[in-house]
Amino acid sequence: MHATFASDPMTSRGRLVTEEESSFRSCFQRDRDRIIHASAFRRLKHKTQVFVEHEGDYYRTRLTHSIEVAQVARTISGTLGLNAELTEAVALAHDLGHTPFGHTGEDALHALMQPYGGFDHNAQAIRIVTNLERHYADFDGLNLTWETLEGIAKHNGPVPAPIPWALEDYNQRHDLELETYASAEAQVAAIADDVAYNHHDLHDGLRAELFSTDELAELPILAQNFAEVDRLYPGLNYYRRRHEALRRFFGVLVEDVITVAQNRLAALNPQSAMDVRHAGHAIVQFSDAIFADLKVIRQFLFERMYRAPSVVVMRAEVTDVVTDLFPYFMEHPDQLPKQWRKDVDEVDGETALARIVSDYIAGMTDRFALQEHARLCRSDDGTDRRAPL
């Protein structure tokens, strides 16, 4: 039984292109299924969070991360009485717009795109699901419902001006009401993202031996988690001990989110999904105490993982890959794949071409970007073809 403030597929605002409804799936289930079958979703398998894809089979990729986010989101959504299918659709789509090489690749592409309107991964996700996925006979993109598109666009809150061009381009045709908060379902997807990466970045950092279990056991929240494991399982194997502690850390975050959301919903007493959108603040958040503890943990990860010497070296290397590929394709658009040539032939000006090149590079996986860079920008002896003689 859904709550009164849950998004109801029967009253969805529908799709930009009207379609006949499915006889056995709700519109939000259909959105979720289309996202799972999208080419961009499959490519997340070879796009990474922090480490480059080839560095180890055990590190999270964007795909495994998205699955973890969807799992957390469904749990929270179900507990709060929300529509789990819409929550899951937004959760699975939230990372579709990411470049190869995680935030490093995004930073590099954003810098290169500064003269042409910049690059934003949330806006790029909208561009993918409304334009770049071209498989259906009747429309470009996936023709998702308004509610799913709204959730992808503003799951992190209202979108302030200036609105990224990729989002504004679609919003002019299909108003997503960017000035308000998103549905409770989209807010759950956003907080589930935070829960998932706070948990798995600690796990991946341990696996990469960038810090020790003992150091982890001194951090807020985790100190209590390890103490509880040691009390219940004295002398537990090293790997099981840290897994049990991180599992409890995960649970603390989820329980905190649910408690805060339940309290805020009780105070607001929303009678519809629109009441949540117009509350003037986020409904689904961490408590102040947990948020403060997470800031300490994120600072630890920033210093010990995101800015670890080995990661910094990798960041410089992959920044060079993106920085080399962009001007190469700007100078040689004929080297883009055949299915991109029609768009290139129809471009009007440098900005339009840059946005096509940006779309192409952003869609690359880590390994494909490395392969293309080696093929196009390196000589047989390994030197940079673009370097001056």
Side-chain angles (χ1 to χ4, degrees):
M1 185 70 179
H2 288 149
T4 57
F5 46 82
S7 296
D8 184 354
M10 298 301 291
T11 59
S12 168
R13 299 197 199 183
R15 309 175 188 278
L16 184 62
V17 178
T18 303
E19 296 183 56
E20 185 177 343
E21 290 301 323
S22 169
S23 60
F24 56 90
R25 288 180 297 171
S26 77
C27 59
F28 299 149
Q29 287 177 294
R30 210 171 179 190
D31 283 355
R32 176 201 60 199
D33 296 347
R34 287 182 178 184
I35 289 162
I36 288 172
H37 288 284
S39 299
F41 186 74
R42 289 195 298 277
R43 286 197 297 272
L44 296 179
K45 177 183 178 183
H46 297 297
K47 292 190 178 190
T48 42
Q49 299 285 108
V50 177
F51 302 97
V52 176
E53 187 266 337
H54 68 275
E55 289 187 301
D57 292 339
Y58 290 104
Y59 301 127
R60 264 68 170 193
T61 66
R62 291 280 174 197
L63 181 61
T64 57
H65 167 69
S66 296
I67 293 170
E68 290 180 24
V69 172
Q71 174 263 313
V72 176
R74 282 192 70 95
T75 298
I76 298 172
S77 187
T79 305
L80 297 177
L82 301 174
N83 186 287
E85 283 77 26
L86 175 58
T87 309
E88 187 176 24
V90 176
L92 291 171
H94 85 281
D95 264 0
L96 290 179
H98 272 291
T99 65
F101 315 126
H103 289 289
T104 303
E106 180 176 4
D107 292 344
L109 194 54
H110 179 60
L112 292 160
M113 283 293 290
Q114 277 297 312
Y116 314 107
F119 180 88
D120 177 90
H121 75 265
N122 281 330
Q124 188 68 13
I126 289 289
R127 186 161 168 81
I128 287 167
V129 300
T130 62
N131 182 298
L132 298 179
E133 287 284 327
R134 297 175 183 174
H135 308 293
Y136 295 87
D138 294 324
F139 45 79
D140 287 341
L142 306 180
N143 199 34
L144 304 176
T145 60
W146 184 92
E147 290 80 6
T148 299
L149 292 172
E150 177 215 29
I152 297 170
K154 54 180 182 174
H155 56 274
N156 290 323
V159 182
I163 297 169
W165 68 267
L167 178 53
E168 178 63 24
D169 181 60
Y170 183 77
N171 197 60
Q172 289 177 354
R173 292 177 283 138
H174 196 189
D175 185 7
L176 299 177
E177 300 176 5
L178 300 175
E179 70 281 358
T180 71
Y181 282 85
S183 64
E185 286 85 357
Q187 293 184 35
V188 166
I191 206 78
D193 183 28
D194 291 348
V195 170
Y197 75 66
N198 274 295
H199 169 261
H200 65 51
D201 282 3
L202 292 170
H203 193 270
D204 285 351
L206 281 173
R207 186 174 287 279
E209 298 183 344
L210 296 176
F211 43 81
S212 68
T213 302
D214 289 342
E215 289 175 296
L216 214 60
E218 295 177 358
L219 292 172
I221 306 175
L222 287 150
Q224 292 91 336
N225 299 146
F226 275 99
E228 183 182 12
V229 172
D230 291 342
R231 180 178 60 82
L232 293 172
Y233 306 102
L236 187 64
N237 168 280
Y238 168 82
Y239 291 103
R240 291 178 190 265
R241 177 175 178 259
R242 77 183 190 188
H243 181 270
E244 285 291 330
L246 285 170
R247 188 167 72 91
R248 282 163 172 75
F249 172 72
F250 200 92
V252 168
L253 300 188
V254 172
E255 289 175 14
D256 181 75
V257 167
I258 290 170
T259 300
V260 170
Q262 288 173 331
N263 290 339
R264 289 191 166 214
L265 287 166
L268 182 65
N269 192 28
Q271 297 304 301
S272 69
M274 287 305 294
D275 287 348
V276 172
R277 291 187 175 95
H278 293 286
H281 57 81
I283 297 297
V284 186
Q285 289 186 313
F286 294 114
S287 66
D288 290 343
I290 290 293
F291 185 74
D293 286 343
L294 287 175
K295 284 181 69 175
V296 176
I297 292 170
R298 296 306 290 175
Q299 184 61 34
F300 172 83
L301 284 167
F302 183 85
E303 294 171 357
R304 300 299 303 275
M305 184 172 177
Y306 310 139
R307 289 296 179 266
S310 59
V311 176
V312 169
V313 169
M314 178 275 293
R315 283 174 59 92
E317 291 175 354
V318 298
T319 295
D320 287 345
V321 170
V322 177
T323 304
D324 287 347
L325 285 174
F326 186 86
Y328 180 87
F329 286 118
M330 287 293 288
E331 294 169 18
H332 307 282
D334 58 307
Q335 292 298 306
L336 290 167
K338 189 179 298 182
Q339 63 265 36
W340 293 78
R341 307 275 175 79
K342 184 175 183 293
D343 287 348
V344 171
D345 291 342
E346 295 174 355
V347 297
D348 180 21
E350 188 177 39
T351 295
L353 175 60
R355 290 175 177 179
I356 291 172
V357 170
S358 172
D359 288 338
Y360 180 57
I361 293 175
M364 290 181 174
T365 63
D366 291 14
R367 63 170 64 175
F368 184 70
L370 292 168
Q371 289 167 356
E372 285 296 271
H373 184 259
R375 182 175 73 87
L376 299 171
C377 303
R378 296 284 179 187
S379 301
D380 291 339
D381 61 0
T383 58
D384 189 346
R385 285 180 180 167
R386 299 183 54 80
L389 296 174

